[in-house]
Amino acid sequence: MNLGSTINTQYGEEGVFLHPDGKTMYFSSEGHNSMGGYDIFKSVFQNGKWSPPENLGWPINTPDDDVFFVISASGRHGYYSSFRDDGLGSKDIYQITFLGPEKPPLLSQEDQLLASRVQPVKETLLAPPVAIASAQVTILKGVVTDEASKQPTEATIDVIDNSLNQVIASFQSNAQSGRYLVSLPSGINYGIVVRKDGYLFHSENFDLPAGAAYSEVMKDIALKKLDVGVKVVLNNIFFDFDKATLRKESTGELERLQKLLTETPALRLEISGHTDNVGKAEYNKDLSQRRAKAVVEYLVGKGIDKGRLTFAGYGDAQPVAPNTTKAGRQLNRRTEFKVTGK
């Protein structure tokens, strides 16, 4: 699809690059009032259309050709080809470091108020803070392995919008190294599902509010083969606060569990609920049991034989991380299943 006259001109447009945030496009053009030859421009997709291209200006652009611009996911460094006087001949490759807006100069560090000759009153003036814009995207990367052999493996990775229960991207980890990299623009509750024939699926959750700053997350994933005693955490099952009511964002994960049970007729599972250690142990155990029961009732309501399912609430008795940190407590608040028969 031609992007139209907002982006394209009667002159040449080259070297398009879409930032991992999914909405910022960089390209080179001989039009749009360039400084000469090709200049680098930026346009942002918002409200269903591309914004008028913005010339990145001097010192990035020159009167000669500046092309094939790319930028890191963090938005801090850019790389491109440019013809400059300090080059080694014709076009050379350059790196740009974006420092953010320049602070206004502070001409006087303090204001002298002459209250007396002996002890003047001094008022310190601080330079106003200058915010440096960062890309609103999270980079998730790591290695997919076989849990038993520890060897890297190729697997399918689905990126899901939990609020819509919709797969928005699907790709493979590297067959030789097992490595993967996912770009997650802010503003979506993401489910990440890693799956491979002969293995139980693995899920992760990243709820990224709009405006969440750039970050990189390392997450190695060990896939487990279907065997009695194996446990899998269901990271995309959500409940209302302090209740056993399943939220609609849980639908995709529940459907994956239903599909696993349907495709493996002999499979039997224990669904278990777990909490952190905040609150009374008796209450936590009761809440975790009611939540596990809610998952079983959903599956039975979808046609799964209730004889294949059991449920249990363990409260805070089986932590997987220390309860001394917020991150640890979050890991301990979970729903999981254990294979009891196959």
Side-chain angles (χ1 to χ4, degrees), residues 8 12 18 39-40 51 94 96 102-103 108 123 143 167 180 232 251 265 291 303 305-306 312 334 338 340 342:
N8 293 309
L18 189 67
D39 278 4
I40 299 163
S51 65
Y94 291 84
I96 306 161
E102 184 178 0
K103 285 188 176 182
S108 175
E123 180 184 5
V143 178
V167 176
Y180 73 95
V232 172
T251 303
R291 287 180 168 179
D305 182 357
K306 64 180 180 180
R334 69 196 191 277
K338 180 175 71 173
T340 58
K342 63 171 187 174

Short mmCIF file of all heavy atoms in Angstrom, two decimals, residues 8 12 18 39-40 51 94 96 102-103 108 123 143 167 180 232 251 265 291 303 305-306 312 334 338 340 342:
data_model
loop_
_atom_site.label_atom_id
_atom_site.label_comp_id
_atom_site.label_asym_id
_atom_site.label_seq_id
_atom_site.Cartn_x
_atom_site.Cartn_y
_atom_site.Cartn_z
N ASN A 8 5.35 10.27 0.77
CA ASN A 8 6.03 10.20 -0.52
C ASN A 8 5.95 11.53 -1.28
O ASN A 8 4.98 12.28 -1.16
CB ASN A 8 5.40 9.09 -1.37
CG ASN A 8 5.67 7.72 -0.79
OD1 ASN A 8 6.81 7.39 -0.49
ND2 ASN A 8 4.62 6.93 -0.62
N GLY A 12 13.01 11.04 -4.67
CA GLY A 12 13.29 9.71 -4.17
C GLY A 12 13.07 9.58 -2.66
O GLY A 12 13.40 10.47 -1.89
N LEU A 18 11.39 0.96 10.58
CA LEU A 18 10.34 1.08 11.58
C LEU A 18 10.91 0.72 12.95
O LEU A 18 11.45 -0.37 13.13
CB LEU A 18 9.15 0.17 11.26
CG LEU A 18 7.91 0.38 12.12
CD1 LEU A 18 7.28 1.73 11.83
CD2 LEU A 18 6.88 -0.72 11.86
N ASP A 39 17.96 13.48 2.92
CA ASP A 39 17.99 13.76 4.35
C ASP A 39 17.17 12.70 5.08
O ASP A 39 16.30 12.05 4.49
CB ASP A 39 17.42 15.14 4.67
CG ASP A 39 18.42 16.26 4.47
OD1 ASP A 39 19.55 15.96 4.01
OD2 ASP A 39 18.08 17.42 4.74
N ILE A 40 17.41 12.56 6.38
CA ILE A 40 16.68 11.59 7.20
C ILE A 40 15.50 12.30 7.87
O ILE A 40 15.64 13.38 8.45
CB ILE A 40 17.60 10.97 8.25
CG1 ILE A 40 18.76 10.23 7.56
CG2 ILE A 40 16.84 10.00 9.15
CD1 ILE A 40 19.91 9.92 8.46
N SER A 51 2.21 11.19 10.71
CA SER A 51 2.41 12.62 10.91
C SER A 51 3.30 13.20 9.82
O SER A 51 4.06 12.46 9.17
CB SER A 51 3.05 12.88 12.28
OG SER A 51 4.36 12.33 12.32
N TYR A 94 28.24 6.10 10.30
CA TYR A 94 28.42 6.90 11.50
C TYR A 94 27.45 6.46 12.59
O TYR A 94 26.38 5.93 12.31
CB TYR A 94 28.17 8.38 11.20
CG TYR A 94 29.23 9.02 10.32
CD1 TYR A 94 29.17 8.89 8.94
CD2 TYR A 94 30.28 9.73 10.88
CE1 TYR A 94 30.13 9.46 8.13
CE2 TYR A 94 31.26 10.31 10.08
CZ TYR A 94 31.18 10.18 8.71
OH TYR A 94 32.14 10.74 7.92
N ILE A 96 25.32 7.89 15.96
CA ILE A 96 24.78 9.09 16.60
C ILE A 96 24.41 8.73 18.04
O ILE A 96 23.84 7.67 18.29
CB ILE A 96 23.51 9.58 15.89
CG1 ILE A 96 23.77 9.78 14.40
CG2 ILE A 96 22.97 10.85 16.52
CD1 ILE A 96 22.50 9.81 13.58
N GLU A 102 19.08 20.27 25.30
CA GLU A 102 20.19 20.94 25.98
C GLU A 102 19.66 21.78 27.14
O GLU A 102 18.65 22.47 27.01
CB GLU A 102 20.93 21.83 24.98
CG GLU A 102 22.17 22.50 25.57
CD GLU A 102 22.90 23.33 24.53
OE1 GLU A 102 22.43 23.36 23.38
OE2 GLU A 102 23.94 23.92 24.86
N LYS A 103 20.36 21.73 28.27
CA LYS A 103 19.95 22.56 29.41
C LYS A 103 20.28 24.02 29.13
O LYS A 103 21.34 24.33 28.57
CB LYS A 103 20.69 22.11 30.68
CG LYS A 103 20.18 20.82 31.28
CD LYS A 103 20.82 20.58 32.62
CE LYS A 103 20.27 19.34 33.30
NZ LYS A 103 20.86 19.14 34.63
N SER A 108 24.56 32.50 36.69
CA SER A 108 25.00 32.79 38.05
C SER A 108 24.58 31.65 38.94
O SER A 108 23.43 31.23 38.94
CB SER A 108 24.37 34.10 38.55
OG SER A 108 24.69 34.32 39.91
N GLU A 123 21.02 32.78 47.92
CA GLU A 123 19.94 31.93 47.43
C GLU A 123 20.46 31.11 46.26
O GLU A 123 20.86 31.66 45.24
CB GLU A 123 18.74 32.75 46.98
CG GLU A 123 17.60 31.88 46.46
CD GLU A 123 16.46 32.73 45.92
OE1 GLU A 123 16.59 33.96 45.87
OE2 GLU A 123 15.43 32.14 45.56
N VAL A 143 16.94 -17.51 25.83
CA VAL A 143 17.22 -18.75 25.12
C VAL A 143 16.16 -19.79 25.50
O VAL A 143 15.82 -19.94 26.68
CB VAL A 143 18.62 -19.28 25.48
CG1 VAL A 143 18.90 -20.60 24.78
CG2 VAL A 143 19.69 -18.26 25.13
N VAL A 167 -3.79 -13.37 19.04
CA VAL A 167 -2.36 -13.49 18.73
C VAL A 167 -1.99 -12.36 17.78
O VAL A 167 -2.55 -12.24 16.69
CB VAL A 167 -2.05 -14.86 18.08
CG1 VAL A 167 -0.58 -14.93 17.69
CG2 VAL A 167 -2.39 -16.00 19.05
N TYR A 180 15.92 -15.99 21.18
CA TYR A 180 14.75 -15.26 20.67
C TYR A 180 14.82 -13.82 21.16
O TYR A 180 15.52 -13.50 22.12
CB TYR A 180 13.44 -15.92 21.15
CG TYR A 180 13.16 -15.69 22.62
CD1 TYR A 180 12.34 -14.64 23.03
CD2 TYR A 180 13.73 -16.51 23.59
CE1 TYR A 180 12.09 -14.42 24.38
CE2 TYR A 180 13.49 -16.29 24.94
CZ TYR A 180 12.67 -15.25 25.32
OH TYR A 180 12.43 -15.02 26.65
N VAL A 232 3.58 -26.80 35.75
CA VAL A 232 3.67 -25.65 34.84
C VAL A 232 2.87 -24.50 35.44
O VAL A 232 1.70 -24.67 35.82
CB VAL A 232 3.12 -25.99 33.44
CG1 VAL A 232 3.04 -24.74 32.57
CG2 VAL A 232 3.99 -27.05 32.77
N THR A 251 -8.96 -15.72 29.53
CA THR A 251 -9.61 -16.62 28.58
C THR A 251 -8.61 -17.38 27.71
O THR A 251 -8.74 -18.60 27.51
CB THR A 251 -10.58 -15.83 27.68
OG1 THR A 251 -11.54 -15.16 28.51
CG2 THR A 251 -11.29 -16.75 26.71
N PRO A 265 -6.26 -37.17 25.64
CA PRO A 265 -7.43 -37.67 26.38
C PRO A 265 -7.10 -38.38 27.69
O PRO A 265 -7.95 -38.42 28.59
CB PRO A 265 -8.09 -38.64 25.39
CG PRO A 265 -7.60 -38.20 24.04
CD PRO A 265 -6.22 -37.69 24.26
N ARG A 291 -9.75 -20.30 44.13
CA ARG A 291 -9.27 -19.91 42.80
C ARG A 291 -8.95 -21.14 41.94
O ARG A 291 -9.28 -21.17 40.76
CB ARG A 291 -8.04 -19.01 42.95
CG ARG A 291 -8.40 -17.61 43.45
CD ARG A 291 -7.18 -16.71 43.60
NE ARG A 291 -7.60 -15.32 43.79
CZ ARG A 291 -6.77 -14.30 43.97
NH1 ARG A 291 -5.45 -14.52 43.96
NH2 ARG A 291 -7.23 -13.08 44.12
N GLY A 303 -16.59 -28.90 28.85
CA GLY A 303 -16.71 -30.27 28.38
C GLY A 303 -15.62 -31.22 28.84
O GLY A 303 -15.63 -32.39 28.45
N ASP A 305 -13.99 -33.81 31.27
CA ASP A 305 -14.50 -34.73 32.30
C ASP A 305 -13.91 -34.34 33.66
O ASP A 305 -12.69 -34.27 33.83
CB ASP A 305 -14.09 -36.16 31.93
CG ASP A 305 -14.61 -37.20 32.92
OD1 ASP A 305 -15.26 -36.81 33.91
OD2 ASP A 305 -14.35 -38.39 32.70
N LYS A 306 -14.79 -34.09 34.63
CA LYS A 306 -14.32 -33.64 35.94
C LYS A 306 -13.51 -34.72 36.65
O LYS A 306 -12.74 -34.41 37.57
CB LYS A 306 -15.50 -33.22 36.82
CG LYS A 306 -16.48 -34.33 37.16
CD LYS A 306 -17.60 -33.78 38.03
CE LYS A 306 -18.60 -34.87 38.41
NZ LYS A 306 -19.69 -34.33 39.26
N ALA A 312 -6.50 -27.96 44.40
CA ALA A 312 -5.96 -27.82 45.75
C ALA A 312 -5.50 -26.39 45.95
O ALA A 312 -5.04 -25.73 45.01
CB ALA A 312 -4.80 -28.79 45.97
N ARG A 334 0.30 -17.34 42.30
CA ARG A 334 0.26 -18.02 41.01
C ARG A 334 -0.78 -19.14 40.99
O ARG A 334 -1.21 -19.63 42.05
CB ARG A 334 1.64 -18.61 40.67
CG ARG A 334 2.03 -19.77 41.56
CD ARG A 334 3.51 -20.10 41.50
NE ARG A 334 3.82 -21.37 42.17
CZ ARG A 334 4.00 -21.50 43.48
NH1 ARG A 334 3.88 -20.45 44.28
NH2 ARG A 334 4.28 -22.69 44.00
N LYS A 338 -0.24 -29.56 37.72
CA LYS A 338 0.69 -30.67 37.87
C LYS A 338 0.10 -31.88 37.17
O LYS A 338 -1.10 -32.18 37.33
CB LYS A 338 0.97 -30.98 39.33
CG LYS A 338 1.94 -32.14 39.53
CD LYS A 338 2.30 -32.33 40.99
CE LYS A 338 1.16 -32.89 41.79
NZ LYS A 338 1.56 -33.23 43.18
N THR A 340 -0.79 -35.46 36.85
CA THR A 340 -0.99 -36.59 37.79
C THR A 340 -1.20 -37.91 37.07
O THR A 340 -1.20 -38.97 37.70
CB THR A 340 -2.18 -36.30 38.71
OG1 THR A 340 -3.35 -36.08 37.91
CG2 THR A 340 -1.91 -35.07 39.57
N LYS A 342 -1.14 -39.73 32.69
CA LYS A 342 -1.12 -39.48 31.24
C LYS A 342 -1.38 -40.79 30.48
O LYS A 342 -1.27 -41.88 31.02
CB LYS A 342 0.20 -38.87 30.83
CG LYS A 342 1.41 -39.77 31.06
CD LYS A 342 2.66 -39.17 30.43
CE LYS A 342 3.82 -40.16 30.54
NZ LYS A 342 5.00 -39.70 29.82
#
